[in-house]
mmCIF file of all heavy atoms in Angstrom:
data_model
loop_
_atom_site.group_PDB
_atom_site.id
_atom_site.type_symbol
_atom_site.label_atom_id
_atom_site.label_comp_id
_atom_site.label_asym_id
_atom_site.label_seq_id
_atom_site.Cartn_x
_atom_site.Cartn_y
_atom_site.Cartn_z
ATOM 1 N N LYS T 128 -0.029 -11.459 1.464
ATOM 2 C CA LYS T 128 0.331 -12.235 2.660
ATOM 3 C C LYS T 128 -0.930 -12.745 3.350
ATOM 4 O O LYS T 128 -1.864 -11.968 3.590
ATOM 5 C CB LYS T 128 1.119 -11.340 3.637
ATOM 6 C CG LYS T 128 1.702 -12.082 4.806
ATOM 7 C CD LYS T 128 2.809 -12.987 4.359
ATOM 8 C CE LYS T 128 3.520 -13.669 5.489
ATOM 9 N NZ LYS T 128 4.587 -14.543 4.990
ATOM 10 N N ASP T 129 -0.970 -14.032 3.640
ATOM 11 C CA ASP T 129 -2.076 -14.644 4.383
ATOM 12 C C ASP T 129 -3.433 -14.280 3.780
ATOM 13 O O ASP T 129 -4.392 -14.004 4.508
ATOM 14 C CB ASP T 129 -2.029 -14.226 5.862
ATOM 15 C CG ASP T 129 -0.751 -14.661 6.547
ATOM 16 O OD1 ASP T 129 -0.126 -15.642 6.093
ATOM 17 O OD2 ASP T 129 -0.355 -13.999 7.533
ATOM 18 N N GLY T 130 -3.518 -14.237 2.462
ATOM 19 C CA GLY T 130 -4.771 -13.920 1.773
ATOM 20 C C GLY T 130 -5.018 -12.437 1.590
ATOM 21 O O GLY T 130 -5.979 -12.043 0.940
ATOM 22 N N TRP T 131 -4.185 -11.594 2.164
ATOM 23 C CA TRP T 131 -4.336 -10.151 2.027
ATOM 24 C C TRP T 131 -3.627 -9.636 0.778
ATOM 25 O O TRP T 131 -2.590 -10.173 0.375
ATOM 26 C CB TRP T 131 -3.759 -9.417 3.253
ATOM 27 C CG TRP T 131 -4.666 -9.503 4.433
ATOM 28 C CD1 TRP T 131 -4.589 -10.406 5.455
ATOM 29 C CD2 TRP T 131 -5.798 -8.677 4.690
ATOM 30 N NE1 TRP T 131 -5.617 -10.189 6.339
ATOM 31 C CE2 TRP T 131 -6.367 -9.134 5.894
ATOM 32 C CE3 TRP T 131 -6.392 -7.602 4.022
ATOM 33 C CZ2 TRP T 131 -7.503 -8.548 6.444
ATOM 34 C CZ3 TRP T 131 -7.510 -7.019 4.582
ATOM 35 C CH2 TRP T 131 -8.064 -7.494 5.780
ATOM 36 N N TYR T 132 -4.197 -8.596 0.221
ATOM 37 C CA TYR T 132 -3.651 -7.949 -0.970
ATOM 38 C C TYR T 132 -3.559 -6.458 -0.652
ATOM 39 O O TYR T 132 -4.583 -5.801 -0.413
ATOM 40 C CB TYR T 132 -4.593 -8.193 -2.151
ATOM 41 C CG TYR T 132 -4.137 -7.630 -3.456
ATOM 42 C CD1 TYR T 132 -3.221 -8.302 -4.249
ATOM 43 C CD2 TYR T 132 -4.651 -6.420 -3.924
ATOM 44 C CE1 TYR T 132 -2.817 -7.783 -5.467
ATOM 45 C CE2 TYR T 132 -4.258 -5.899 -5.136
ATOM 46 C CZ TYR T 132 -3.344 -6.593 -5.904
ATOM 47 O OH TYR T 132 -2.949 -6.081 -7.112
ATOM 48 N N ILE T 133 -2.344 -5.941 -0.593
ATOM 49 C CA ILE T 133 -2.113 -4.534 -0.236
ATOM 50 C C ILE T 133 -1.306 -3.894 -1.352
ATOM 51 O O ILE T 133 -0.248 -4.404 -1.735
ATOM 52 C CB ILE T 133 -1.361 -4.425 1.105
ATOM 53 C CG1 ILE T 133 -2.172 -5.095 2.218
ATOM 54 C CG2 ILE T 133 -1.069 -2.964 1.441
ATOM 55 C CD1 ILE T 133 -1.430 -5.239 3.534
ATOM 56 N N LYS T 134 -1.816 -2.807 -1.858
ATOM 57 C CA LYS T 134 -1.173 -2.147 -2.996
ATOM 58 C C LYS T 134 -1.030 -0.661 -2.689
ATOM 59 O O LYS T 134 -2.004 -0.016 -2.290
ATOM 60 C CB LYS T 134 -2.080 -2.348 -4.219
ATOM 61 C CG LYS T 134 -1.474 -2.127 -5.543
ATOM 62 C CD LYS T 134 -2.301 -2.903 -6.569
ATOM 63 C CE LYS T 134 -2.869 -2.062 -7.628
ATOM 64 N NZ LYS T 134 -3.603 -2.810 -8.645
ATOM 65 N N PHE T 135 0.185 -0.132 -2.857
ATOM 66 C CA PHE T 135 0.434 1.269 -2.527
ATOM 67 C C PHE T 135 1.570 1.806 -3.374
ATOM 68 O O PHE T 135 2.324 1.061 -3.995
ATOM 69 C CB PHE T 135 0.752 1.439 -1.037
ATOM 70 C CG PHE T 135 1.924 0.622 -0.565
ATOM 71 C CD1 PHE T 135 3.201 1.170 -0.504
ATOM 72 C CD2 PHE T 135 1.765 -0.700 -0.183
ATOM 73 C CE1 PHE T 135 4.287 0.425 -0.064
ATOM 74 C CE2 PHE T 135 2.841 -1.461 0.247
ATOM 75 C CZ PHE T 135 4.102 -0.904 0.309
ATOM 76 N N TYR T 136 1.666 3.148 -3.385
ATOM 77 C CA TYR T 136 2.764 3.793 -4.104
ATOM 78 C C TYR T 136 3.108 5.097 -3.395
ATOM 79 O O TYR T 136 2.366 5.570 -2.522
ATOM 80 C CB TYR T 136 2.410 4.040 -5.575
ATOM 81 C CG TYR T 136 1.244 4.956 -5.823
ATOM 82 C CD1 TYR T 136 1.418 6.333 -5.971
ATOM 83 C CD2 TYR T 136 -0.043 4.441 -5.908
ATOM 84 C CE1 TYR T 136 0.346 7.165 -6.207
ATOM 85 C CE2 TYR T 136 -1.125 5.274 -6.142
ATOM 86 C CZ TYR T 136 -0.929 6.635 -6.295
ATOM 87 O OH TYR T 136 -1.998 7.456 -6.512
ATOM 88 N N PHE T 137 4.232 5.661 -3.819
ATOM 89 C CA PHE T 137 4.716 6.896 -3.200
ATOM 90 C C PHE T 137 4.792 7.995 -4.242
ATOM 91 O O PHE T 137 5.308 7.788 -5.335
ATOM 92 C CB PHE T 137 6.112 6.685 -2.601
ATOM 93 C CG PHE T 137 6.179 5.534 -1.640
ATOM 94 C CD1 PHE T 137 6.825 4.359 -1.996
ATOM 95 C CD2 PHE T 137 5.577 5.605 -0.398
ATOM 96 C CE1 PHE T 137 6.888 3.291 -1.123
ATOM 97 C CE2 PHE T 137 5.623 4.546 0.486
ATOM 98 C CZ PHE T 137 6.283 3.381 0.123
ATOM 99 N N LEU T 138 4.270 9.133 -3.894
ATOM 100 C CA LEU T 138 4.500 10.375 -4.631
ATOM 101 C C LEU T 138 4.987 11.329 -3.560
ATOM 102 O O LEU T 138 4.189 11.857 -2.789
ATOM 103 C CB LEU T 138 3.222 10.907 -5.285
ATOM 104 C CG LEU T 138 2.777 10.247 -6.570
ATOM 105 C CD1 LEU T 138 1.478 10.869 -7.078
ATOM 106 C CD2 LEU T 138 3.855 10.332 -7.639
ATOM 107 N N ASP T 139 6.295 11.478 -3.458
ATOM 108 C CA ASP T 139 6.885 12.219 -2.345
ATOM 109 C C ASP T 139 6.195 13.546 -2.114
ATOM 110 O O ASP T 139 5.971 14.282 -3.065
ATOM 111 C CB ASP T 139 8.384 12.426 -2.584
ATOM 112 C CG ASP T 139 9.170 11.150 -2.316
ATOM 113 O OD1 ASP T 139 8.715 10.328 -1.505
ATOM 114 O OD2 ASP T 139 10.233 11.003 -2.925
ATOM 115 N N PRO T 140 5.871 13.793 -0.884
ATOM 116 C CA PRO T 140 6.142 12.989 0.319
ATOM 117 C C PRO T 140 4.992 12.060 0.706
ATOM 118 O O PRO T 140 5.008 11.503 1.797
ATOM 119 C CB PRO T 140 6.327 14.075 1.388
ATOM 120 C CG PRO T 140 5.325 15.119 1.003
ATOM 121 C CD PRO T 140 5.309 15.097 -0.530
ATOM 122 N N GLU T 141 4.023 11.877 -0.148
ATOM 123 C CA GLU T 141 2.806 11.140 0.206
ATOM 124 C C GLU T 141 2.909 9.649 -0.104
ATOM 125 O O GLU T 141 3.580 9.240 -1.047
ATOM 126 C CB GLU T 141 1.613 11.717 -0.556
ATOM 127 C CG GLU T 141 1.359 13.185 -0.323
ATOM 128 C CD GLU T 141 0.941 13.507 1.099
ATOM 129 O OE1 GLU T 141 0.378 12.637 1.786
ATOM 130 O OE2 GLU T 141 1.191 14.645 1.537
ATOM 131 N N THR T 142 2.157 8.874 0.681
ATOM 132 C CA THR T 142 1.958 7.447 0.440
ATOM 133 C C THR T 142 0.481 7.246 0.124
ATOM 134 O O THR T 142 -0.382 7.690 0.885
ATOM 135 C CB THR T 142 2.330 6.625 1.689
ATOM 136 O OG1 THR T 142 3.694 6.896 2.014
ATOM 137 C CG2 THR T 142 2.133 5.134 1.453
ATOM 138 N N PHE T 143 0.200 6.610 -1.002
ATOM 139 C CA PHE T 143 -1.177 6.376 -1.435
ATOM 140 C C PHE T 143 -1.469 4.883 -1.406
ATOM 141 O O PHE T 143 -0.730 4.104 -2.016
ATOM 142 C CB PHE T 143 -1.382 6.876 -2.874
ATOM 143 C CG PHE T 143 -1.347 8.365 -3.005
ATOM 144 C CD1 PHE T 143 -0.141 9.042 -3.109
ATOM 145 C CD2 PHE T 143 -2.528 9.088 -3.018
ATOM 146 C CE1 PHE T 143 -0.108 10.421 -3.224
ATOM 147 C CE2 PHE T 143 -2.507 10.465 -3.137
ATOM 148 C CZ PHE T 143 -1.294 11.133 -3.238
ATOM 149 N N PHE T 144 -2.558 4.516 -0.724
ATOM 150 C CA PHE T 144 -2.988 3.127 -0.723
ATOM 151 C C PHE T 144 -4.094 2.960 -1.758
ATOM 152 O O PHE T 144 -5.110 3.642 -1.716
ATOM 153 C CB PHE T 144 -3.470 2.703 0.672
ATOM 154 C CG PHE T 144 -2.339 2.438 1.613
ATOM 155 C CD1 PHE T 144 -1.780 3.480 2.346
ATOM 156 C CD2 PHE T 144 -1.802 1.167 1.722
ATOM 157 C CE1 PHE T 144 -0.709 3.244 3.194
ATOM 158 C CE2 PHE T 144 -0.728 0.928 2.566
ATOM 159 C CZ PHE T 144 -0.183 1.970 3.299
ATOM 160 N N LEU T 145 -3.853 2.038 -2.684
ATOM 161 C CA LEU T 145 -4.831 1.717 -3.730
ATOM 162 C C LEU T 145 -5.765 0.599 -3.292
ATOM 163 O O LEU T 145 -6.962 0.635 -3.562
ATOM 164 C CB LEU T 145 -4.101 1.233 -4.991
ATOM 165 C CG LEU T 145 -3.439 2.254 -5.868
ATOM 166 C CD1 LEU T 145 -2.425 1.586 -6.777
ATOM 167 C CD2 LEU T 145 -4.485 2.952 -6.683
ATOM 168 N N SER T 146 -5.200 -0.420 -2.673
ATOM 169 C CA SER T 146 -5.973 -1.615 -2.303
ATOM 170 C C SER T 146 -5.529 -2.143 -0.953
ATOM 171 O O SER T 146 -4.332 -2.203 -0.669
ATOM 172 C CB SER T 146 -5.761 -2.738 -3.324
ATOM 173 O OG SER T 146 -6.180 -2.363 -4.599
#
Side-chain angles (χ1 to χ4, degrees):
K128 188 69 175 180
D129 299 335
W131 283 96
Y132 182 82
I133 301 171
K134 197 157 121 177
F135 57 95
Y136 62 90
F137 306 108
L138 281 179
D139 284 333
E141 302 294 334
T142 301
F143 290 83
F144 283 87
L145 283 162
S146 299

